[in-house]
Amino acid sequence: MQRIESHACFGGTQEVWQHRSGVLGCEMRYGIYLPPQAARGDCPVLYWLSGLTCSEQNFITKAGAQRYAAEHGVIIVAPDTSPRGEGVADADSYDLGQGAGFYLNATQSPWAAHYRMYDYVVEELPALVDAHFPTTTARAVSGHSMGGHGALVVALRNPGRYRSVSAFSPIVAPTRVPWGHKAFGAYLGLDAESWREWDACELIIGSQPGAEKLSLLVDQGEDDEFLDSQLQPTRLQAACEAAGHPLELRMRAGHDHSYYFIASFIGEHVAHHAAALRG
């Protein structure tokens, strides 16, 4: 690994690291905030998954999460949203290709060669972070929009791996909305049945009796321009009610899809995860 940024921040350091990913077959970057407590001992880790068009920079420069991570003694890791570089497949649109990995493992050419963001965020990146930084085994996951979809899916597919999960404006039912149709059709092929394992609502509805039901915390802006067309949080609400899955869905009046929304409530999310990580 190579550290390419380091900034003093709220008594800790905000860093950016670059490394060669064997899973993705390219160079990758991720941001990591090390709170002041990390200088004295191991700390739990919150993974943040960003949305369409983002890199590791958006969250670490706009959300203001470092203040709360320093308060609670939580490391925050924010990876890029897709593989990148020469030889990595791309598209002309913002919602497919580089910057739009959708946190799944692609099966279709040309995407399958690099687009395995699920394996990267669940396995490779945590192993790398745990090997090089003072972490405990306690993990949590959160994200925004496409990254909210990713956070819900990786938590639901990996019972026991995360202590808590939350999301801002997540794509809760990608098999039912245009963003999902476009990405899943390209990455996974035209067999819509194969899409279900990457859809939070489908995972909840299809969960086995006795399976872990990790409580979901979701914040959604009522003035979000994508609310009705792409996000549709009422689908998640209906799925959780049908399956008896705990959900706290908070509709926030006046808020949109931007990082102004995330910055307004990120402190509450970090506190929520910190309580679970200490438990």
Side-chain angles (χ1 to χ4, degrees):
M1 292 199 305
Q2 177 186 6
R3 187 174 65 183
I4 57 177
E5 290 185 33
S6 182
H7 310 280
C9 188
F10 291 101
T13 57
Q14 176 63 62
E15 302 179 354
V16 177
W17 289 76
Q18 181 171 293
H19 71 101
R20 179 73 182 179
S21 167
V23 166
L24 303 178
C26 66
E27 294 291 318
M28 288 294 289
R29 293 183 178 185
Y30 64 90
I32 183 167
Y33 178 69
L34 299 168
Q37 295 87 339
R40 303 189 295 271
D42 294 347
C43 295
V45 184
L46 170 61
Y47 286 87
W48 172 270
L49 307 182
S50 293
L52 290 168
T53 76
C54 291
S55 71
E56 81 288 343
Q57 290 291 324
N58 298 73
F59 178 76
I60 66 176
T61 59
K62 295 180 179 181
Q66 294 92 342
R67 169 187 173 185
Y68 306 104
E71 177 183 343
H72 294 287
V74 174
I75 293 170
I76 302 183
V77 175
D80 201 348
T81 53
S82 77
R84 297 184 191 266
E86 289 187 20
V88 175
D90 200 5
D92 292 334
S93 57
Y94 76 96
D95 51 0
L96 185 68
Q98 296 187 32
F102 270 84
Y103 304 101
L104 49 72
N105 290 336
T107 60
Q108 304 299 302
S109 179
W111 313 103
H114 297 280
Y115 283 75
R116 303 186 63 83
M117 286 298 294
Y118 174 83
D119 283 351
Y120 178 71
V121 301
V122 173
E123 299 291 346
E124 185 180 31
L125 180 59
L128 191 68
V129 169
D130 290 345
H132 289 88
F133 298 99
T135 64
T136 70
T137 58
R139 301 185 187 95
V141 63
S142 186
H144 171 236
S145 193
M146 177 186 72
H149 142 76
L152 295 175
V153 166
V154 301
L156 291 167
R157 287 179 54 131
N158 294 275
R161 186 170 183 83
Y162 301 95
R163 298 277 184 90
S164 53
V165 57
S166 73
F168 289 83
S169 314
I171 308 170
V172 302
T175 62
R176 306 291 186 92
V177 299
W179 274 341
H181 286 179
K182 181 175 183 177
F184 285 15
Y187 297 145
L188 303 173
L190 300 181
D191 179 11
E193 186 66 22
S194 68
W195 300 358
R196 296 176 63 186
E197 63 181 314
W198 306 104
D199 182 303
C201 288
E202 295 291 338
L203 290 170
I204 289 168
I205 293 169
S207 61
Q208 298 298 314
E212 177 192 57
K213 294 184 183 297
L214 191 63
S215 181
L216 312 180
L217 172 62
V218 175
D219 270 310
Q220 173 63 62
E222 291 185 352
D223 288 357
D224 192 317
E225 61 268 40
F226 305 113
L227 178 61
D228 295 327
S229 60
Q230 305 281 11
L231 306 178
Q232 303 180 4
T234 54
R235 290 188 183 274
L236 180 64
Q237 191 171 41
C240 287
E241 289 175 357
H245 197 112
L247 166 68
E248 183 178 1
L249 174 61
R250 306 189 296 198
M251 301 300 296
R252 301 292 194 173
H255 285 278
D256 56 22
H257 199 71
S258 71
Y259 265 85
Y260 295 110
F261 170 48
I262 296 170
S264 297
F265 302 106
I266 192 65
E268 295 180 21
H269 281 242
V270 174
H272 167 79
H273 291 297
L277 290 165
R278 288 194 300 265

